[in-house]
Amino acid sequence: MKGSTWRAPAVVGVAALAFVGVALGANTGSFADVEGDAGTAPDVTAVAISSDDAGVVTAKITLSNRTSFGASDGVGVGIDTDQNPDTGTVFYGSEYELDFEGTAPRFYRAAANGFYEEAPLPPSFAGSFSGGVVMISFKPSELGASAGFNVYAVGFDNSTLDAAPDIRAVNYQLVKGTPPPPLQPDHRAPVDEAIRSTGTHGKVATLYYFASDGRAETSDAIVIYKGKKVVKRINYVLEDTNPFLPYVARWKVPKKMKGKLRFCVRSSDRAGNKSNTSCAALTVK
């Protein structure tokens, strides 16, 4: 933290802490997530993954705060079929997400912009919820995965999100002892989005933005303008940034500063790839 400016997640749900991917066991494995970090969203506390001789993978997602699902509740499993965070979506390189939303399964695939678009359900995809557990099953072969994949789970509602693990994905192999492919050099830039924000003169304003990168590390530069004049620069060093969450930069607005401003954000990843520059209005009252 430096002076009156710092970067932090804008919503409760995921702590921006490093998580080292772990290989799950032979055809079955599990990983845990901290209880009570979900806000109002379904709170994922454990994920168990298994596969059978028919080639069906089942993800069992345990929730600590749900006995029934509301219309806005959802739980999803993201699948990175090529085990490469630099392809697919900005969500750790996943190509697909299989969701159980409300009472229905939903299926999403990577779009050209690095995010998801809804797609027809794969024939094998099934989802259910009972007794605080969501079950999602599918055939990896229908998604183009033959040996293994990286995987994450998320619980979400209209206002918050809980990811398991807290940041990045874990690796799952269908055959015991199969190593994931080595990572190649990172040539993919982060994707930034500034979000319209407001503030009050003489008080701390919160500037909202997304900094999304498949490897979940960015350094961020925020520039605040009054017309064409730069009134503030805020810089954050390279650290974990969760692609699911908006972040906030806080700025102590000068007492005499009012009116329509704007701020722009641009990020770099560890390899030096630079994001787009995204700008949004900042209204100071």
Side-chain angles (χ1 to χ4, degrees):
M1 182 185 301
K2 294 182 179 181
S4 61
T5 59
W6 63 97
R7 175 173 65 178
V11 296
V12 174
V14 179
L17 301 175
F19 183 94
V20 178
V22 294
L24 305 181
N27 289 359
T28 184
S30 62
F31 55 94
D33 187 58
V34 175
E35 182 175 349
D37 64 346
T40 61
D43 188 6
V44 179
T45 56
V47 179
I49 302 177
S50 61
S51 58
D52 61 23
D53 292 339
V56 176
V57 167
T58 298
K60 176 183 177 182
I61 302 102
T62 301
L63 309 176
S64 67
N65 62 348
R66 290 292 190 277
T67 57
S68 62
F69 254 29
S72 66
D73 288 338
V75 168
V77 173
I79 304 296
D80 175 12
T81 55
D82 63 0
Q83 305 172 77
N84 182 358
D86 305 320
T87 61
T89 68
V90 297
F91 305 114
Y92 314 130
S94 56
E95 280 77 31
Y96 302 99
E97 189 171 291
L98 302 94
D99 287 8
F100 187 73
E101 300 179 16
T103 58
R106 295 285 182 89
F107 181 64
Y108 301 90
R109 64 188 175 196
N113 63 0
F115 296 91
Y116 285 121
E117 62 184 8
E118 192 164 6
L121 300 178
S124 64
F125 177 26
S128 64
F129 174 73
S130 178
V133 175
V134 173
M135 303 288 285
I136 291 176
S137 60
F138 61 98
K139 286 186 175 181
S141 60
E142 294 177 353
L143 308 183
S146 58
F149 49 85
N150 295 330
V151 58
Y152 66 78
V154 289
F156 54 90
D157 61 11
N158 284 338
S159 59
T160 58
L161 178 145
D162 181 34
D166 281 337
I167 195 163
R168 302 186 183 90
V170 300
N171 185 256
Y172 176 79
Q173 295 294 327
L174 296 171
V175 178
K176 181 180 179 179
T178 304
L183 283 180
Q184 300 302 309
D186 180 7
H187 298 296
R188 185 185 192 185
V191 178
D192 282 6
E193 181 185 1
I195 303 170
R196 183 185 298 270
S197 302
T198 61
T200 302
H201 66 284
K203 296 184 178 181
V204 175
T206 53
L207 316 181
Y208 293 84
Y209 68 96
F210 285 90
S212 302
D213 181 71
R215 299 198 189 193
E217 284 185 308
T218 64
S219 59
D220 306 336
I222 295 94
V223 183
I224 303 169
Y225 297 89
K226 175 74 171 178
K228 295 182 179 181
K229 180 181 178 181
V230 174
V231 297
K232 185 67 177 179
R233 295 182 186 271
I234 304 171
N235 294 291
Y236 298 113
V237 299
L238 184 76
E239 60 183 356
D240 291 337
T241 43
N242 192 302
F244 289 103
L245 293 183
Y247 282 79
V248 296
R250 293 183 170 91
W251 171 50
K252 180 64 177 296
V253 183
K255 291 182 179 180
K256 295 182 179 180
M257 184 74 67
K258 287 186 179 181
K260 295 186 180 299
L261 287 73
R262 65 187 174 97
F263 72 100
C264 299
V265 57
R266 192 179 191 193
S267 299
S268 299
D269 62 19
R270 181 174 291 275
N273 300 305
K274 296 187 182 301
S275 75
N276 58 305
T277 298
S278 179
C279 302
L282 170 60
T283 303
V284 176
K285 301 176 181 178

